[in-house]
Amino acid sequence: MNESIRRGTLEMISAMLICGTIGWLVVVSGQPVLDVVFWRCVFGAATLLVICAAMGFLRPGILTRATFGLALLSGAAIVGNWVLLFGSYSRASIAIGTAVYNVQPFLLVLLGALFLGEKVTAQKLAWLGVSFVGMLAIVSAHGEAGQVGSDYLGGIALALGAAALYAVAALIIKRLSGVPPHLIALIQAVTGVLLLAPWANLSPLPQATSAWASLATLGIVHTGIMYVLLYGAIQKLPTALTGALSFIYPIAAIFVDWFAFGHRLTPLQWLGVVAILLAAAGMQRGWSLNLRRLAWR
């Protein structure tokens, strides 16, 4: 393994482990979802502004009107994604919300086929079927003893909505291939500040030190620094390795939910989680699923 791959691997692992603790900070902050996303955008925008300035991404000529408009649109989708995903945590759980959220690669494939004319192969459809079976397993656990959320099916619906918005944002970002990703992230964070400012509870402000610590960490570490690590890793690693390492995120989130809040999954939910992650890994890595043999068995 050369030095670039080794460094990229460490950056990707770090980014995914950081992502895995997002749900814990959202819950610990004790703030309404819209307020959490607003302050994440505020602290994240400030951090990314410093990073973009240091890297020389604020000079004129980098963005055209068209690319700036697309970046704003992707920002609206990303902010909506955060609102829905964070909302799913209290209704289902961090583990379930994150697992369901990981169907987004399949939604991206479907959107790519619809709007970009990308070919959907039989293998991709097969893995999509495996993911759907995993979703059914998770949903069918509604009401079982291991379920702790206040609105389980509503939480799953919010996580699916978050996955759809992420897929929309990713589809838009595909059109911004020449724009520095750190600058895209800055525009997305600023868009979030502008969109959510009218709805955020700025009076009174959060009083607890733990709330401010959680919100600042979400913005500075989980938005600013995490984006730098993630995009740095993507630039260094092969696509297949990037996809494989991305599954550290849901696994970390499941164990954080377990250790921090004691939310244990039922065996059926575990099967659903494994099916979704296996399907997403299979599609990312191009694994072949022998449909004829499975049907015969």
Side-chain angles (χ1 to χ4, degrees):
M1 182 183 294
N2 62 45
E3 183 59 31
S4 178
I5 296 294
R6 183 180 295 106
R7 181 175 178 181
T9 300
L10 291 175
E11 289 174 343
M12 189 67 183
I13 292 173
S14 299
M16 293 301 97
L17 289 175
I18 290 173
C19 283
T21 61
I22 287 178
W24 172 62
L25 288 172
V26 170
V27 174
V28 168
S29 73
Q31 302 303 303
V33 169
L34 289 179
D35 292 359
V36 172
V37 178
F38 172 75
W39 288 112
R40 179 184 187 181
C41 290
V42 169
F43 287 112
T47 305
L48 288 163
L49 182 64
V50 173
I51 293 171
C52 288
M55 300 181 73
F57 292 152
L58 300 181
R59 64 182 186 275
I62 294 181
L63 292 170
T64 65
R65 289 184 179 180
T67 54
F68 180 67
L70 287 174
L72 287 175
L73 191 59
S74 74
I78 282 293
V79 170
N81 155 265
W82 289 345
V83 170
L84 295 182
L85 181 60
F86 293 176
S88 74
Y89 293 156
S90 61
R91 289 171 172 81
S93 71
I94 295 171
I96 293 300
T98 304
V100 173
Y101 178 68
N102 274 271
V103 304
Q104 49 86 10
F106 303 99
L107 299 179
L108 182 58
V109 168
L110 295 177
L111 289 176
L114 289 173
F115 297 104
L116 300 181
E118 296 179 350
K119 184 179 179 181
V120 180
T121 65
Q123 288 298 325
K124 288 182 178 180
L125 287 176
W127 286 120
L128 178 60
V130 173
S131 178
F132 183 71
V133 170
M135 178 75 61
L136 291 179
I138 291 174
V139 171
S140 66
H142 172 53
E144 292 188 16
Q147 180 51 45
V148 296
S150 61
D151 180 12
Y152 185 53
L153 296 180
I156 288 177
L158 289 177
L160 284 173
L165 286 177
Y166 181 87
V168 169
L171 202 66
I172 296 171
I173 292 172
K174 281 179 174 284
R175 305 282 297 274
L176 299 172
S177 56
V179 181
H182 306 79
L183 184 57
I184 296 174
L186 172 61
I187 294 172
Q188 290 172 340
V190 172
T191 301
V193 174
L194 297 176
L195 287 177
L196 296 177
W199 312 102
N201 295 312
L202 302 180
S203 180
L205 294 172
Q207 299 299 311
T209 303
S210 60
W212 281 116
S214 300
L215 296 172
T217 303
L218 278 172
I220 297 170
V221 178
H222 292 74
T223 305
I225 295 175
M226 193 275 290
Y227 268 112
V228 173
L229 291 171
L230 178 62
Y231 291 145
I234 290 173
Q235 291 172 349
K236 298 180 183 72
L237 298 178
T239 302
L241 183 54
T242 301
L245 292 174
S246 68
F247 295 107
I248 294 174
Y249 163 44
I251 294 171
I254 289 170
F255 280 101
V256 166
D257 195 25
W258 185 359
F259 291 127
F261 304 108
H263 295 171
R264 299 176 183 271
L265 302 184
T266 66
L268 186 58
Q269 288 173 323
W270 271 116
L271 287 175
V273 169
V274 170
I276 290 174
L277 298 184
L278 176 64
M283 193 185 70
Q284 291 274 2
R285 302 299 300 274
W287 293 340
S288 177
L289 190 62
N290 194 323
L291 301 180
R292 291 183 180 179
R293 181 176 296 178
L294 287 176
W296 181 81
R297 287 181 178 177

